[in-house]
């Protein structure tokens, strides 16, 4: 049975099924936008397979095992759908093949965390030809129309980390170590670092002596970046802004290898993995950005189910991915330092157990209520 989509309401979007065309216009500087449709009469046919594909760039990191996968699966299954999981292990070509496979077999919606935001456009276009709604997850797919983007604003995270570190260390040499250059989660966070530091750079108080990306978010290359920065600057690095905890641990190893006491140089990260959380409460790392993958996964699952059913759902804003503005269901990103870790570890016990976080400093362990 074919349905006709109703007129778009404030702060909502429609899934793009069966050749639905949707124009979205953001209100400048507004926290919540009111999308305006170019055409609201197009027909939308709900999916019939009761399957939703979740294509992840990888599935073995801590966050995927403890948040993205279980929270997405629980939410989708509660709605009466089955999840088809695929993990590309950071290979963009593998991800394209996986997308071809799920499209051929048939699904009602596809949620994609792209390995490479440009290559992923191929997948979005394949799905569009099959009239399957596509949702970008965690990292927006560039230059291809899609139903929505679900994720945090990495630039905001970069600004938060750089602002906090520069307040503690307002002068000196800064090293910026980003993640994969093919992902906006990395490139936008790096933009955030630069934007926050720009006034200090202009004054001459801060000098950016390293600004590098790290393919596949690997620990070893990040460690090599840090070692090179330390060597070139006679060990005079005053802060490391790093975009992932696994990379941060490599930077910490480089600091130790240079004979510098851990904790004497602020190091940031992202994802609040156990080893980083322990380093933070032990005073060896400055902080980590918490991207709330649990909230992100639940939100993505609800949007995917709504898209599969041709139902409406709300978003907070829009984002321009090069093909126009698409609805953006924005999830939080928060800097967690040692002082924040106590309430955070109690609040997110599904993620990290306080006894594990404070294993080496039990006197600092919080009492969770």
């Amino acid at each position: 049975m074919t349905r006709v989509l109703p007129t778009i309401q404030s702060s909502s979007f429609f899934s793009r099924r069966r050749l639905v065309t949707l124009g979205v216009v953001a209100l400048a500087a507004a926290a919540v936008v009111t999308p305006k449709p170019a055409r609201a009469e197009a027909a939308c046919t709900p999916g019939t397979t009761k399957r939703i594909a979740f294509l992840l760039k990888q599935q073995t990191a801590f966050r995927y095992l403890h948040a993205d996968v279980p929270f997405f699966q629980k939410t989708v299954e509660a709605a009466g759908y089955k999840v088809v999981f695929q993990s590309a292990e950071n290979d963009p070509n593998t991800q394209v093949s996986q997308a071809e496979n799920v499209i051929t077999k048939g699904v009602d919606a596809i949620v994609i965390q792209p390995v490479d935001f440009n290559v992923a456009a191929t997948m979005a276009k394949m799905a569009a030809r099959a009239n399957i709604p596509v949702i970008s997850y965690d990292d927006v797919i560039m230059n291809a129309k899609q139903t929505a983007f679900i994720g945090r604003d990495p630039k905001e995270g970069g600004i938060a980390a750089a602002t906090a570190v520069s307040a503690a260390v307002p002068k000196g040499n800064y090293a910026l170590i980003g993640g994969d250059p093919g992902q906006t989660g990395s490139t936008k966070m790096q933009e955030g670092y630069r934007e926050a530091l720009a006034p200090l750079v202009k004054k001459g108080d801060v000098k950016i002596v390293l600004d590098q990306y790290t393919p596949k978010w690997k620990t070893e290359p990040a460690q090599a970046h840090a070692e090179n920065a330390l060597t070139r600057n006679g060990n005079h690095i005053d802060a490391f802004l790093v975009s992932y905890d696994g990379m941060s641990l490599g930077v910490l190893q480089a600091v130790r290898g240079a004979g510098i006491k851990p904790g004497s140089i602020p190091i940031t990260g992202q994802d609040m993995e156990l080893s980083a959380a322990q380093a933070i409460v032990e005073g060896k790392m400055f902080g980590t950005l918490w991207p709330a993958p649990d909230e992100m996964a639940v939100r993505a699952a609800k949007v995917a189910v709504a898209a599969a059913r041709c139902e409406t759902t709300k978003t907070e804003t829009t984002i321009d991915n090069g093909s126009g503005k698409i609805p953006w269901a924005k999830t939080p990103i928060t800097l967690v330092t040692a002082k924040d870790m106590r309430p955070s570890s109690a609040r997110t016990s599904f993620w990290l157990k306080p006894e594990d976080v404070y294993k080496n400093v039990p006197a600092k362990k919080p009492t969770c209520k």
Side-chain angles (χ1 to χ4, degrees), residues 82-164:
K82 179 181 178 181
V83 182
V84 179
F85 286 108
Q86 294 288 334
S87 173
E89 297 308 317
N90 291 307
D91 186 323
N93 294 322
T94 295
Q95 193 168 57
V96 171
S97 296
Q98 291 172 341
E100 288 176 333
N101 184 50
V102 298
I103 290 169
T104 299
K105 291 184 176 179
V107 291
D108 295 341
I110 304 176
V111 179
I112 303 175
Q113 182 194 37
V115 174
D116 184 293
F117 53 64
N118 288 312
V119 174
T122 300
M123 297 183 283
K125 291 171 184 176
M126 285 192 298
R129 288 193 292 270
N131 300 322
I132 300 173
V134 169
I135 295 147
S136 287
Y137 179 79
D138 193 36
D139 202 3
V140 67
I141 297 171
M142 301 299 291
N143 302 310
K145 295 185 182 300
Q146 56 212 273
T147 298
F149 166 53
I150 316 299
R152 78 275 191 258
D153 185 338
K155 184 175 180 179
E156 284 183 2
I159 290 172
T163 299

Side-chain angles (χ1 to χ4, degrees), residues 42-98:
C44 175
T45 304
T48 58
T49 71
K50 305 296 286 186
R51 289 155 39 103
I52 292 175
F54 194 18
L55 308 186
L56 290 162
K57 63 184 179 185
Q58 65 133 312
Q59 203 173 319
T60 55
F62 188 90
R63 63 167 283 186
Y64 301 109
L65 296 174
H66 291 80
D68 301 83
V69 169
F71 279 86
F72 187 90
Q73 183 168 13
K74 181 179 179 180
T75 306
V76 167
E77 290 181 349
Y81 288 76
K82 179 181 178 181
V83 182
V84 179
F85 286 108
Q86 294 288 334
S87 173
E89 297 308 317
N90 291 307
D91 186 323
N93 294 322
T94 295
Q95 193 168 57
V96 171
S97 296
Q98 291 172 341

Side-chain angles (χ1 to χ4, degrees), residues 156-223:
E156 284 183 2
I159 290 172
T163 299
V165 170
S166 62
V169 184
K171 295 184 179 183
N173 291 339
Y174 274 59
L176 316 184
I177 303 179
D180 196 290
Q183 296 170 22
T184 55
S186 173
T187 59
K188 291 297 181 182
M189 186 166 289
Q190 208 85 338
E191 284 183 20
Y193 297 152
R194 298 184 196 115
E195 183 174 309
L197 295 174
L200 297 175
V201 171
K202 186 176 181 179
K203 286 171 60 179
D205 290 343
V206 165
K207 182 179 181 182
I208 297 176
V209 297
L210 178 75
D211 190 341
Q212 286 283 349
Y213 291 105
T214 310
K216 299 184 179 180
W217 308 80
K218 293 291 187 180
T219 301
E220 294 78 11
Q223 180 174 338

